[in-house]
Amino acid sequence: IVPVMLYDARVAAEFAQRMLEKGVYVVAFSYPVVPKGKARIRTQVSAAHTREDLEFAVRCFCEVRQEMKL
């Protein structure tokens, strides 16, 4: 499990939704699951992922970050 800290619950939820729309499954977590102000996206990386899978996910993260102006 690799957390991506975004700190804001609304930002994390929108980021996760945009990632899903691009074909990358991530889950947003916010209060009360995590402390207030510690919202994050959880990713799960495994040995079954290919280099291409990981490059695709990273590219999508970069695109969403840019789209959301973060």
Side-chain angles (χ1 to χ4, degrees), residues 6-47:
L6 295 169
Y7 303 101
D8 182 278
R10 280 180 270 159
V11 170
E14 181 179 346
F15 204 107
Q17 179 60 40
R18 288 178 182 234
M19 290 293 287
L20 184 59
E21 290 167 2
K22 290 180 180 290
V24 179
Y25 181 71
V26 298
V27 179
F29 285 98
S30 58
Y31 181 82
V33 178
V34 297
K36 285 185 180 181
K38 300 289 184 177
R40 64 197 69 181
I41 290 173
R42 184 184 75 184
T43 65
Q44 291 183 275
V45 180
S46 80

